[in-house]
Amino acid sequence: MAVCEVCSNDYETTFEVRTAGGVHTFDSLECAAQRLAPICENCQCRILGHGLQADGQMFCCAHCARVKGHATLVDHA
């Protein structure tokens, strides 16, 4: 069995995610998101869908981008 790198659960059905040259081991998608998903610069939520970027910052939605002064960004629908 392998151990989840977020919660340390020793679980028989862990899975690996390979990203940017690294290998990560998790026991759930929740733990994978906690470790790998970017964080919104405004509200600090994890960005699980298509986020928005401006000036090197990540946002979960156009509202959060506007709060931080990026008025031209729009949500993708």
Side-chain angles (χ1 to χ4, degrees):
M1 291 195 291
V3 175
C4 176
E5 68 182 62
V6 173
C7 69
S8 301
N9 185 21
D10 192 4
Y11 194 57
E12 65 187 35
T13 58
T14 57
F15 59 93
E16 290 183 349
V17 175
R18 299 175 190 278
T19 179
V23 179
H24 303 275
T25 303
F26 304 108
D27 69 342
S28 67
L29 289 176
E30 181 180 4
C31 285
Q34 183 66 30
R35 178 60 44 100
L36 300 175
I39 298 172
C40 177
E41 294 284 339
N42 182 59
C43 71
Q44 270 62 97
C45 75
R46 295 282 174 183
I47 302 169
L48 300 180
H50 298 285
L52 301 171
Q53 289 182 286
D55 297 329
Q57 296 177 309
M58 292 286 300
F59 301 98
C60 64
C61 64
H63 168 78
C64 282
R66 285 192 299 273
V67 168
K68 292 294 187 174
H70 301 284
T72 60
L73 293 179
V74 296
D75 288 318
H76 302 281

